[in-house]
Amino acid sequence: AISRLLFRAIKNTTLVGLIALAVIILFAVLISYLVVRRPNPFNHLIDTVSMLPYIMPGSVIGIALVIVFSKPPFAIAGTLGIMIAALAIRRLPFTSRSAAAAMMKITPSIEEAALSLGATKIKTFAGITVPMMSSGIISGAVLSWVSIITEMSSGVILYNNRTMTLTIGTYVQINNGVYGVAAVFASVTTILTIICLAVYLRFTKLEDVQV
């Protein structure tokens, strides 16, 4: 039973984390483009709103999501979908800041040269801009990933037995007084965090060398 619970927590943590991270990267790249390449009051407002989850308690976001998504047609409370939404909202600021900083280092003349040679704006953005800012995106994504797999404040409001993650599993086992099982959950989380931090340090070093 314990091994089945641990396997489920690892699967949920990985699945929810990867999907949330994909959503985060997509929105972070779009927000960074709007802020850096298309600055105007509305786009800066979008940037400010995207940063609000950084200062808001996770429990507040969790309660808000339960209220919004507990009734049709968006009744996803109690599913992995609401966990993904919570994590994507909570951890977007890490990657969006890193992506914006990376885009600021790219001179617009490079994109203008591609446009003058006949490339479309979409091809220029996808083929030139995004690859050039990849180190910043990856370093920000790794930080988001670490915070995703260690997230508990919003998850503790949203989880059930089917959507339990590693950190929630640790919390539940401690509450139940099963400290040995909690230690196993915490150890797996620690190993994943160490691996992610090692990847982050590698990419930040590469970025420093390139600069």
Side-chain angles (χ1 to χ4, degrees):
I2 295 174
S3 60
R4 185 170 68 251
L5 189 63
L6 179 62
F7 176 77
R8 181 188 301 166
I10 294 174
K11 183 183 72 173
N12 287 340
T13 300
T14 305
L15 178 63
V16 170
L18 289 176
I19 297 175
L21 190 62
V23 174
I24 286 171
I25 292 174
L26 175 62
F27 277 93
V29 171
L30 292 176
I31 290 172
S32 64
Y33 178 80
L34 292 175
V35 172
V36 178
R37 292 290 186 261
R38 298 289 186 271
N40 59 55
F42 180 73
N43 289 341
H44 284 299
L45 177 62
I46 294 175
D47 184 42
T48 302
V49 171
S50 72
M51 289 297 296
L52 289 179
Y54 185 75
I55 59 175
M56 293 176 64
S59 56
V60 173
I61 295 176
I63 293 171
L65 289 174
V66 169
I67 294 173
V68 173
F69 295 111
S70 60
K71 297 179 181 179
F74 304 108
I76 61 173
T79 68
L80 289 177
I82 199 168
M83 299 285 285
I84 292 169
L87 293 173
I89 292 171
R90 285 270 290 157
R91 302 311 176 185
L92 174 62
F94 291 98
T95 307
S96 65
R97 290 296 90 193
S98 180
M103 183 166 286
M104 288 178 183
K105 297 178 181 178
I106 303 173
T107 57
S109 60
I110 298 176
E111 297 167 335
E112 292 169 359
L115 293 172
S116 67
L117 292 174
T120 63
K121 290 184 178 180
I122 295 178
K123 286 185 178 180
T124 300
F125 181 70
I128 296 177
T129 306
V130 173
M132 290 184 68
M133 57 189 293
S134 60
S135 59
I137 295 173
I138 292 173
S139 60
V142 172
L143 282 179
S144 292
W145 172 259
V146 171
S147 60
I148 283 172
I149 63 177
T150 57
E151 170 69 24
M152 191 178 71
S153 58
S154 62
V156 75
I157 305 293
L158 304 170
Y159 88 97
N160 55 39
N161 286 334
R162 293 181 293 106
T163 61
M164 183 180 297
T165 61
L166 285 169
T167 49
I168 299 299
T170 305
Y171 170 78
V172 170
Q173 297 303 324
I174 290 175
N175 276 348
N176 292 337
V178 189
Y179 298 109
V181 178
V184 173
F185 277 82
S187 298
V188 175
T189 307
T190 302
I191 292 171
L192 290 176
T193 304
I194 291 173
I195 293 173
C196 294
L197 288 176
V199 174
Y200 171 73
L201 291 174
R202 177 179 178 273
F203 276 101
T204 51
K205 286 180 180 178
L206 287 177
E207 187 177 7
D208 291 339
V209 170
Q210 290 173 357
V211 174

